[in-house]
Amino acid sequence: MARDIEPLRQFFRDCRDAATLLDLRTAAANYFETTHVVMASYIHYPPVGARDFDGQIRVGEFGYPESWRETYLAEELHLCDPLARRAVNFTRPYFWTEAPQLPNLTLEEREYLQRVAAQNMGEGIGIPLFGPAGRNGYAALGFGQAERPPADEVLELQAASQMGHLAYCRLLLKDLPNGTVLSAREREILRWVARGRTNSQIAEVLQLSRNTVETYIRRCFEKLDVNDRVSAALRGIALGMVD
């Protein structure tokens, strides 16, 4: 039986109408509930020469085992994930179980794949995403079981991920109201956020209380029209407000 594509159509409409990054996250969560996806992550690749260029920037994820998520973030394992590293060279989604057959895998990449296999997270797909002026990305979608979803659903997930990426690029780069300015302290804190530091670590470096750091970050959310730390840092840098 053919899949009902109305959820995909609704997601496309939601991407078109999203006014904030929170709107887009909510739309993606609602759409994934209609699919076999139980875990997902999204990586953004700013183009070389862009203000926010820093290789791969991990934007967010959900559904992964907490122990694996903590390890992945702490050890920055996306930097040795062969699908994430090579995504922009692909012309189609790759299943996770296909990764060991990729050509010229490094020892680091093979060790990473062995660690992933030991987590027993089931099958998934890595999807290359393409955006304006080389602002590309990568989506990893996990199904939590060994069985692959129908081919039509894989194509649908590719289309949805691409549309979501384009909407993210639009929202990341949209202009702010005239007169929006970040203070020197707000810019400094966002620089540390962009480097992956927690609020507690930033407080220690700047000799501030954690509550003070959190207050500054909330102000940045309001000024930059975002709802999470990573998007605040990315948006501030992309718009030239944070160096």
Side-chain angles (χ1 to χ4, degrees):
M1 180 181 296
R3 276 181 57 80
D4 178 8
I5 64 170
E6 180 53 34
L8 179 64
R9 288 174 173 165
Q10 183 59 52
F11 179 62
F12 279 13
R13 290 191 289 267
D14 290 341
C15 286
R16 177 198 63 196
D17 298 337
T20 67
L21 293 170
L22 180 59
D23 291 343
L24 186 58
R25 286 173 182 263
T26 301
N30 291 339
Y31 168 69
F32 283 137
E33 287 181 356
T34 71
T35 72
H36 284 86
V37 173
V38 297
M39 61 189 84
S41 59
Y42 170 53
I43 292 174
H44 191 75
Y45 304 106
V48 175
R51 291 190 180 99
D52 54 336
F53 176 74
D54 190 23
Q56 302 178 20
I57 301 177
R58 188 173 177 81
V59 177
E61 74 287 315
F62 74 84
Y64 292 94
E66 188 60 28
S67 60
W68 173 248
R69 178 182 177 277
E70 291 176 356
T71 299
Y72 195 101
L73 294 176
E75 299 183 25
E76 297 186 320
L77 293 181
H78 63 284
L79 298 177
C80 54
D81 178 345
L83 291 180
R85 293 173 78 169
R86 304 166 187 227
V88 295
N89 297 320
F90 297 157
T91 57
R92 65 171 178 86
Y94 266 75
F95 284 101
W96 291 355
T97 51
E98 291 182 289
Q101 282 73 55
L102 289 171
N104 304 316
L105 288 173
T106 66
L107 176 60
E108 181 183 51
E109 290 173 332
R110 292 187 183 280
E111 290 176 345
Y112 168 82
L113 292 175
Q114 291 172 358
R115 295 178 70 176
V116 171
Q119 296 298 313
N120 295 315
M121 291 186 288
E123 184 63 281
I125 51 174
I127 302 175
L129 307 170
F130 303 96
R135 190 170 284 276
N136 300 323
Y138 168 75
L141 308 179
F143 308 120
Q145 58 185 18
E147 184 179 354
R148 296 179 178 181
D152 284 352
E153 184 174 337
V154 172
L155 291 174
E156 181 184 313
L157 290 169
Q158 181 181 17
S161 298
Q162 178 63 52
M163 180 61 76
H165 175 67
L166 291 174
Y168 183 86
C169 291
R170 172 178 62 81
L171 292 170
L172 184 68
L173 299 172
K174 74 175 182 179
D175 292 336
L176 293 171
N178 290 334
T180 300
V181 177
L182 296 179
S183 70
R185 181 64 86 181
E186 289 165 348
R187 294 197 303 271
E188 184 176 29
I189 287 174
L190 284 187
R191 279 196 293 271
W192 286 109
V193 171
R195 295 173 187 170
R197 301 299 191 271
T198 66
N199 290 354
S200 296
Q201 290 170 332
I202 296 171
E204 183 177 354
V205 169
L206 300 181
Q207 297 184 325
L208 300 171
S209 72
R210 178 173 174 173
N211 286 340
T212 298
V213 171
E214 291 174 350
T215 297
Y216 277 117
I217 289 178
R218 284 196 297 272
R219 291 177 186 170
C220 292
F221 285 1
E222 294 173 3
K223 291 182 178 182
L224 297 174
D225 192 23
V226 298
N227 297 87
D228 67 272
R229 301 167 81 256
V230 174
S231 294
L234 285 176
R235 188 149 157 69
I237 296 170
L239 294 175
M241 303 179 76
V242 179
D243 53 29

